[in-house]
Amino acid sequence: MGEEKLQTHVASICNDEELPPEFIRPENEQPRFTTFQGAPAEVPVVDFASENVVQSVYEASSKWGLFQIVNHSIPVEVIENLQRVGRQFFELSNEEKVSYGKDPDSNNIDGYGTKLRNGWVDHLFNKISPPSAVDYRFWPKNPPDYREVTEEYGKHLHEVVEKLLRWLSEGLGMAAEELKTAVGGEELVYNMKINYYPRCPRPEVALGVPAHTDLCALTVLVPNEILSNGKYKAVLHRSVVNKEKTRMSWPVFMEPPPNLEIGPLPTLLNEENPPKFKTKKFGDYAYCKLNKIPQ
């Protein structure tokens, strides 16, 4: 089914009470059976202004694999504008959104797509850094300030990521710049994805995105494992959907350049801590992970 026809199909079924069978997850994945019903889990909070920030980042990354950041210095209006232009894009007509569709003849994931057979979600991918990776053909021209707003967010996000990589490196007992260098330095790719989860008639049996771990070095999300030899966790997560309202999220995936060799850092290895993962080019690692090929 073509992008436009699939989008129209999704729009129509969102108004129905019936959910097509291809969207129903196996029982061991359905939220009605697998959602934790106890007290809400207390996710670690890392205060960027804290004197103990390195220890806080280390503990949250090694024990949980995720944490909430406060006092990160990204202005509220910058985040609000990012969310505004994202919402405005997904409110456009199907015809206009599809005009930014992915190139079917390329392995590049930039652009708009509907992959709802795999999950109840539409999405838009835009690489926002480094300049050599940015392809403005897939950046919406409507709303008119999409580029300005997104680049402003990217500028502030760089500062957050620089701090995180420095503190993650120091938490492992390494030099401050060692982890950043290991994931590509200034060539680290910032790959932004906007997820749009339409209203779903049966959210108890469907998922926006099935359970998975991200393949990138680091993910920053608006409301990894190989390099640290397993010390820092890649958290398993999924996205649920809602019957009454749409949901959106803005993750940015920090990905090493495809040809950069990634593996356990030699600094961390010894007889008591041998390598748990193979060293390979990031592009090869990503291909194997996405196609469920044993690493």
Side-chain angles (χ1 to χ4, degrees), residues 172-193:
L172 292 171
M174 303 187 303
E177 296 298 312
E178 190 164 351
L179 192 56
K180 176 184 174 181
T181 301
V183 297
E186 298 304 320
E187 296 305 308
L188 183 65
V189 177
Y190 286 55
N191 196 5
M192 186 178 80
K193 180 186 183 188

Side-chain angles (χ1 to χ4, degrees), residues 67-84:
F67 48 88
Q68 180 184 0
I69 299 172
V70 297
N71 291 322
H72 45 67
S73 77
I74 301 181
V76 172
E77 59 270 22
V78 170
I79 295 175
E80 289 178 342
N81 281 332
L82 181 76
Q83 294 171 322
R84 172 181 56 79

Side-chain angles (χ1 to χ4, degrees), residues 105-172:
D105 298 321
S106 170
N107 292 326
N108 193 333
I109 63 173
D110 282 35
Y112 171 75
T114 56
K115 299 293 185 183
L116 291 180
R117 287 188 181 88
N118 299 321
W120 195 261
V121 60
D122 290 0
H123 60 269
L124 175 68
F125 270 109
N126 289 141
K127 293 185 180 68
I128 61 176
S129 183
S132 60
V134 176
D135 191 340
Y136 288 116
R137 292 178 302 163
F138 299 100
W139 288 46
K141 294 182 174 59
N142 189 9
D145 58 344
Y146 179 90
R147 175 173 172 175
E148 176 188 353
V149 164
T150 301
E151 290 182 334
E152 179 69 11
Y153 174 69
K155 180 179 69 175
H156 289 280
L157 184 63
H158 264 85
E159 298 176 7
V160 170
V161 172
E162 293 276 330
K163 292 176 182 177
L164 280 174
L165 290 174
R166 182 168 70 247
W167 294 331
L168 285 165
S169 194
E170 292 174 350
L172 292 171

Side-chain angles (χ1 to χ4, degrees), residues 2-160:
E3 292 284 357
E4 186 170 0
K5 290 183 178 178
L6 179 58
Q7 185 71 10
T8 303
H9 171 65
V10 170
S12 66
I13 62 179
C14 280
N15 295 321
D16 297 335
E17 289 303 316
E18 295 300 322
L19 183 69
E22 62 265 31
F23 297 111
I24 298 177
R25 307 302 304 177
E27 284 193 358
N28 64 339
E29 296 181 21
Q30 292 179 10
R32 60 176 173 166
F33 295 126
T34 59
T35 301
F36 180 65
Q37 301 296 335
E42 295 183 4
V43 176
V45 176
V46 172
D47 186 346
F48 268 29
S50 168
E51 295 181 357
N52 301 318
V53 65
V54 173
Q55 185 64 23
S56 297
V57 169
Y58 172 82
E59 290 182 356
S61 300
S62 57
K63 295 178 181 178
W64 282 75
L66 81 163
F67 48 88
Q68 180 184 0
I69 299 172
V70 297
N71 291 322
H72 45 67
S73 77
I74 301 181
V76 172
E77 59 270 22
V78 170
I79 295 175
E80 289 178 342
N81 281 332
L82 181 76
Q83 294 171 322
R84 172 181 56 79
V85 296
R87 285 193 299 269
Q88 289 175 336
F89 171 77
F90 280 95
E91 290 169 355
L92 297 176
S93 67
N94 296 331
E95 181 180 7
E96 190 163 358
K97 285 183 289 190
V98 169
S99 70
Y100 297 99
K102 300 177 188 297
D103 183 351
D105 298 321
S106 170
N107 292 326
N108 193 333
I109 63 173
D110 282 35
Y112 171 75
T114 56
K115 299 293 185 183
L116 291 180
R117 287 188 181 88
N118 299 321
W120 195 261
V121 60
D122 290 0
H123 60 269
L124 175 68
F125 270 109
N126 289 141
K127 293 185 180 68
I128 61 176
S129 183
S132 60
V134 176
D135 191 340
Y136 288 116
R137 292 178 302 163
F138 299 100
W139 288 46
K141 294 182 174 59
N142 189 9
D145 58 344
Y146 179 90
R147 175 173 172 175
E148 176 188 353
V149 164
T150 301
E151 290 182 334
E152 179 69 11
Y153 174 69
K155 180 179 69 175
H156 289 280
L157 184 63
H158 264 85
E159 298 176 7
V160 170

Side-chain angles (χ1 to χ4, degrees), residues 234-268:
V235 66
L236 183 72
H237 58 285
R238 66 183 186 180
S239 298
V240 296
V241 290
N242 191 285
K243 187 174 184 177
E244 306 300 330
K245 59 182 179 181
T246 60
R247 292 183 57 247
M248 295 184 69
S249 64
W250 285 258
V252 179
F253 307 103
M254 269 52 74
E255 302 175 355
N259 291 322
L260 181 68
E261 287 203 335
I262 298 293
L265 294 169
T267 310
L268 303 177

